[in-house]
Amino acid sequence: MELSLAHPAIKAFMCGSLSGTCSTLLFQPLDLIKTRLQTLQSGVQPGSGRVGMVTVLLSVVRTEKLLGLWKGVSPSFVRTIPGVGIYFSTYYSLKQHFLQDDRPGAMGAALLGAGARTVAGVFMLPVTVIKTRFECGRYSYRSVVGALRSVCQTEGPAALFSGLMATLLRDVPFSGIYVMFYSQAKATLPKEISTSPSAPLANFSCGILAGVLASLITQPADVVKTHVQVNPQLRTAEAIRYIYMEHGLQGFFRGAVPRSLRRTMMAAMAWTVYEQMMAHIGLKS
């Protein structure tokens, strides 16, 4: 079947890409702080909660200037702009194929979100690996293309797919849980709110609730994913053992606050912008 710019899936891709661009630019500093917290050496005590975040924030600004908080934004854009587009176009296509105009139930919404994230996650994993390495501060890559070339030459192409299992264990449940809670929370809104000018704010609030729940449930997998991608010689099981031996159970929740803030705000903004744009062009999201 021939696709054109007028095809609904292409429109969904474009709406998703724009929403991902806005949220990535705004919340990249939180992702960098999360990665730095998760990759602190065992001899360094990051503190907990807000103290840990503030300590890392001040350290980055002091040593790398204010723009250092946006280190890794280039691979984030390379990953997010097509990645979120792929996610939303896959979500839209799956929904149209299996549900047509029906509203998905809790399980259907979870499966739609999980399926869309699986496709986008596998496709964009090489850039995710590079993004994580940019943010951790241990690698001196100058560009995304240079980083991809360097990894292929020194570690082999397989290194670009390091952490695949941990990434899917983090992202697929996150998306499934998020879409399930988000769709169900929206379904409980009174009709007068859903059709009023305040609908975007109400949808954003539903997204915040869904994002917090999904982020906390999937935080351990995010920590494991970060360690595997920064240290590609580690397998997933070895990374789990290392984190537990070095930091105990609390090690699996390092960076939980900045990640929850970022993922929650990014997802809520992305879905709100996506749905408003889809409605603007006359498509049902």
Side-chain angles (χ1 to χ4, degrees):
M1 182 175 64
E2 189 174 319
L3 294 178
S4 69
L5 290 178
H7 193 278
I10 301 297
K11 291 181 179 179
F13 178 92
M14 295 172 67
C15 292
S17 295
L18 180 58
S19 69
T21 301
C22 298
S23 55
T24 296
L25 184 60
L26 283 174
F27 304 119
Q28 174 64 21
L30 287 172
D31 202 30
L32 182 135
I33 292 170
K34 180 268 298 185
T35 300
R36 296 289 176 93
L37 281 171
Q38 291 178 352
T39 55
L40 283 171
Q41 300 301 310
S42 58
V44 180
Q45 296 300 322
S48 59
R50 187 176 178 183
V51 175
M53 288 180 60
V54 172
T55 301
V56 173
L57 171 65
L58 294 177
S59 175
V60 172
V61 173
R62 184 171 56 252
T63 59
E64 305 173 46
K65 309 303 182 186
L66 185 63
L67 287 179
L69 292 170
W70 275 267
K71 190 171 185 178
V73 74
S74 295
S76 288
F77 276 140
V78 173
R79 169 180 174 262
T80 302
I81 293 175
V84 177
I86 291 169
Y87 172 82
F88 278 118
S89 61
T90 303
Y91 174 87
Y92 179 85
S93 298
L94 289 174
K95 185 178 179 183
Q96 293 300 305
H97 181 75
F98 291 106
L99 297 175
Q100 283 79 45
D101 293 326
D102 295 334
R103 181 188 296 273
M107 184 56 66
L111 291 175
L112 286 174
R117 179 53 59 193
T118 299
V119 173
V122 172
F123 192 83
M124 300 307 299
L125 185 63
V127 184
T128 302
V129 172
I130 299 303
K131 167 185 165 294
T132 302
R133 293 190 178 193
F134 262 92
E135 293 170 351
C136 77
R138 297 185 190 177
Y139 297 83
S140 55
Y141 301 134
R142 293 184 178 275
S143 67
V144 176
V145 174
L148 289 168
R149 186 185 302 116
S150 174
V151 172
C152 288
Q153 291 175 346
T154 60
E155 303 172 43
L160 292 174
F161 289 88
S162 59
L164 173 61
M165 185 58 66
T167 300
L168 293 179
L169 287 174
R170 177 199 67 169
D171 288 351
V172 173
F174 176 91
S175 184
I177 293 168
Y178 180 91
V179 176
M180 178 181 70
F181 282 127
Y182 178 67
S183 63
Q184 297 307 299
K186 279 184 59 182
T188 64
L189 293 175
K191 187 174 181 180
E192 54 268 23
I193 293 180
S194 301
T195 56
S196 71
S198 62
L201 180 60
N203 293 344
F204 190 83
S205 299
C206 292
I208 294 292
L209 174 62
V212 170
L213 295 171
S215 293
L216 292 177
I217 292 171
T218 58
Q219 177 64 22
D222 182 69
V223 178
V224 174
K225 184 272 308 181
T226 299
H227 277 269
V228 172
Q229 292 180 344
V230 172
N231 306 287
Q233 70 275 11
L234 287 178
R235 296 181 181 276
T236 300
E238 294 170 337
I240 293 173
R241 185 164 53 250
Y242 169 81
I243 295 166
Y244 180 74
M245 295 299 294
E246 290 290 317
H247 310 293
L249 288 176
Q250 65 268 30
F252 291 100
F253 290 90
R254 272 188 165 183
V257 174
R259 176 176 179 262
S260 294
L261 285 173
R262 175 185 172 273
R263 288 302 299 265
T264 296
M265 297 299 288
M266 279 193 70
M269 176 177 284
W271 273 92
T272 301
V273 172
Y274 166 75
E275 290 183 331
Q276 290 302 115
M277 290 188 66
M278 291 289 279
H280 182 71
I281 62 178
L283 291 177
K284 186 177 180 180
S285 60

